[in-house]
Amino acid sequence: MARLRDMRRAVVTGGPRPARAEEPLRDGGAARRPGEAVRVRAVLFDRDGTLVADVPGNTDWRRVEPMPTAREALERVRVRGLRTAVVTNQSALGRGGLRWPELRRINARVEELLGPLDAWVVCPHDRDFGCRCRKPRPGLVIEAARRLGVRPQECAVIGDIGSDMAAARAAGAPSVLVPTAQTSAEDVAAAPMVAPDLLSAVRAVLGERT
């Protein structure tokens, strides 16, 4: 029971900062009104397969490798004055295959390679835990928006699989899929927007011509 309580307190936690219990998830900002134009004020990125190469079961920061165009894509977001965050499922934490210090070191390495991000929002649970944060549920998107001081509808989510798109849709946020070899054809077909690489996805979010 004590372990279960600890996991519930750790529903969403920061990245490179020391591990600590965070505030519980809250609902996002005011709902979008019909016909209301919403400006994107933040970009939320999936981590593995989107910002960095997906290395299953990775516990070693030295294996972190940026995805093509990731650095340029993030710099373009920062230059435009938008906030940034990572929203990532890390169920190995709940299973005991990954420790929080290892996760924080990996996330720190991501920032060493790609520059600082404004927030890290992590779900440590596996699919059977029944939490609100694990994608495709919207909890990570809602919490990231809260930390960044924007509404979920003002966040654009960029990821590589269908659960990223589903989490965005459930939170009322726009999204862009950047497929990899692990992305299913069904996920591509169902995505609201598909981009060939991360930079192209960011340009689409920013309304730039590619």
Side-chain angles (χ1 to χ4, degrees):
M1 289 297 294
R3 181 172 179 269
L4 181 60
R5 287 194 299 270
D6 289 343
M7 290 181 69
R8 287 191 184 278
R9 286 201 305 270
V11 165
V12 185
T13 188
R17 300 182 299 278
R20 65 182 186 276
E22 294 288 345
E23 298 177 31
L25 293 174
R26 303 174 183 173
D27 289 336
R32 181 177 178 177
R33 296 182 296 275
E36 177 187 6
V38 177
R39 178 171 62 91
V40 171
R41 299 174 59 195
V43 183
L44 314 183
F45 299 90
D46 174 54
R47 194 190 77 177
D48 303 318
T50 301
L51 285 180
V52 298
D54 188 1
V55 181
N58 184 31
T59 61
D60 186 352
W61 62 269
R62 287 163 292 198
R63 300 180 69 188
V64 174
E65 180 181 349
M67 292 293 282
T69 76
R71 177 82 191 199
E72 185 177 355
L74 278 167
E75 287 300 327
R76 191 173 292 266
V77 172
R78 295 180 185 118
V79 166
R80 291 286 292 270
L82 276 65
R83 309 296 302 282
T84 59
V86 173
V87 288
T88 177
N89 291 344
Q90 296 294 327
S91 59
L93 287 165
R95 296 194 302 266
L98 177 67
R99 297 177 299 171
W100 285 106
E102 292 169 333
L103 176 71
R104 291 195 297 272
R105 185 64 188 92
I106 289 171
N107 291 347
R109 180 58 175 164
V110 173
E111 292 197 335
E112 289 171 5
L113 295 170
L114 300 179
L117 293 126
D118 296 312
W120 287 81
V121 192
V122 178
C123 172
H125 307 122
D126 63 30
R127 66 180 70 250
D128 297 325
F129 191 81
C131 65
R132 292 181 293 161
C133 48
R134 181 180 172 86
K135 295 177 287 186
R137 294 186 176 183
L140 294 181
V141 176
I142 292 170
E143 175 66 6
R146 186 185 72 83
R147 292 195 198 178
L148 298 177
V150 301
R151 293 185 294 167
Q153 298 93 332
E154 296 172 319
C155 299
V157 178
I158 301 178
D160 66 314
I161 58 176
S163 63
D164 299 315
M165 306 296 100
R169 182 170 59 252
S175 60
V176 184
L177 182 76
V178 182
T180 68
Q182 284 69 47
T183 310
S184 71
E186 292 77 11
D187 286 351
V188 173
M193 185 179 297
V194 179
D197 54 52
L198 193 55
L199 180 58
S200 298
V202 163
R203 284 176 168 168
V205 166
L206 298 177
E208 298 178 355
R209 293 183 179 180
T210 57

